[in-house]
């Protein structure tokens, strides 16, 4: 099962990815984690990435796709993987397609957790207020201003991968405003349908 989870920050991708990892025994591939692991392991592509990061630059799509290529060749990804936080742009989506094709692999599904962004911002504001009220520190990601910036970046750069995958017929939309368990049930229903098609 090779999956991509798409959705704005705060939509619940991480929670659903954790449940999918348990159910299918496949790894969740976070590009940030993979990048740090490649740099720490000093792989050829990790060394390249480190040079770029040390110079204060953004790691290119080519390097990120190279890191994913190395990672999915590992044994634990033989039965599939979940990509969360990648692709973030149209260029990355196209590069990923090409890389999978070159490796003789195909995606099974792209799951978009669709949410009402106004309600999402309200939810984050409430979470920050609750944390303050109980004397806990507010998580950086729960700072409403930081969150709004992340949402803007998602809408500007990443939301365009949704129509791209819609055209390929791989996209399934899940109502991310449901409860966590309801979202999980919707995801499982979609993936069960894919199993039956195979």
């Amino acid at each position: 099962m090779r999956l991509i989870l798409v959705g704005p920050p705060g939509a619940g991708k991480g929670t659903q990815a954790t449940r999918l990892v348990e159910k299918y025994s496949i790894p969740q591939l976070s590009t940030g984690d993979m990048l740090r692991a490649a740099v720490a392991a000093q792989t050829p592509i990790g060394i390249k990435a480190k040079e770029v990061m040390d110079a204060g630059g953004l790691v290119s799509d080519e390097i990120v796709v190279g890191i994913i290529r190395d990672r999915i060749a590992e044994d634990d990804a033989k039965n599939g993987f979940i990509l969360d936080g990648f692709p973030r742009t149209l260029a990355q989506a196209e590069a990923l397609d090409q890389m999978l094709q070159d490796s003789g692999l195909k995606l099974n599904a792209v799951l978009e957790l669709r949410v009402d962004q106004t309600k999402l911002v309200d939810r984050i504001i409430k979470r920050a207020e609750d944390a303050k009220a109980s004397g806990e520190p507010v998580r950086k990601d729960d700072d409403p201003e930081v969150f709004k910036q992340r949402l803007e970046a998602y809408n500007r750069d990443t939301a365009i991968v949704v129509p791209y995958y819609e055209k390929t017929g791989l996209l399934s939309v899940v109502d991310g405003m449901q409860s966590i368990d309801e979202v999980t049930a919707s995801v499982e229903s979609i993936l069960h349908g894919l199993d039956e098609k195979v």
Side-chain angles (χ1 to χ4, degrees):
M1 190 65 75
R2 287 179 287 276
L3 307 170
I4 292 177
L5 289 181
V6 183
K13 297 187 300 295
T15 302
Q16 296 304 322
T18 304
R19 292 183 172 198
L20 288 164
V21 166
E22 283 171 19
K23 185 172 171 65
Y24 291 98
S25 301
I26 54 177
Q28 173 189 0
L29 307 183
S30 147
T31 44
D33 293 347
M34 286 188 288
L35 207 50
R36 285 185 285 277
V39 169
Q42 296 190 321
T43 64
I45 214 140
I47 291 166
K48 244 195 227 176
K50 188 175 184 325
E51 285 169 8
V52 174
M53 292 190 301
D54 285 351
L58 281 174
V59 178
S60 70
D61 293 349
E62 184 191 353
I63 289 175
V64 176
V65 171
I67 283 170
I68 291 171
R69 183 187 299 112
D70 290 352
R71 180 64 184 86
I72 66 174
E74 290 177 28
D75 284 345
D76 68 338
K78 289 255 187 293
N79 294 324
F81 51 82
I82 302 158
L83 280 173
D84 168 19
F86 185 89
R88 281 185 193 275
T89 62
L90 210 45
Q92 288 181 354
E94 288 165 352
L96 176 67
D97 276 355
Q98 190 59 55
M99 183 270 286
L100 289 171
Q101 202 178 324
D102 294 347
S103 308
L105 300 171
K106 278 198 313 222
L107 287 169
N108 295 93
V110 177
L111 302 172
E112 181 198 2
L113 297 187
R114 197 166 281 179
V115 291
D116 177 327
Q117 294 194 3
T118 310
K119 285 185 180 158
L120 205 57
V121 172
D122 292 344
R123 194 190 288 173
I124 294 297
I125 290 170
K126 184 176 179 336
R127 212 156 63 182
E129 283 169 355
D130 289 350
K132 277 184 199 157
S134 62
E136 292 169 21
V138 176
R139 281 177 30 200
K140 186 166 167 255
D141 288 351
D142 284 352
D143 177 311
E145 289 314 309
V146 172
F147 183 77
K148 282 177 191 166
Q149 283 169 1
R150 290 174 63 217
L151 210 48
E152 276 168 26
Y154 172 81
N155 290 328
R156 184 182 61 241
D157 303 324
T158 308
I160 51 172
V161 303
V162 171
Y164 174 80
Y165 284 119
E166 202 163 13
K167 280 187 198 139
T168 65
L170 286 169
L171 185 77
S172 292
V173 177
V174 176
D175 176 4
M177 298 308 288
Q178 304 175 98
S179 72
I180 292 172
D181 288 342
E182 285 169 333
V183 172
T184 300
S186 300
V187 167
E188 284 181 2
S189 165
I190 290 163
L191 299 183
H192 183 66
L194 291 178
D195 285 343
E196 287 178 346
K197 280 187 206 166
V198 174

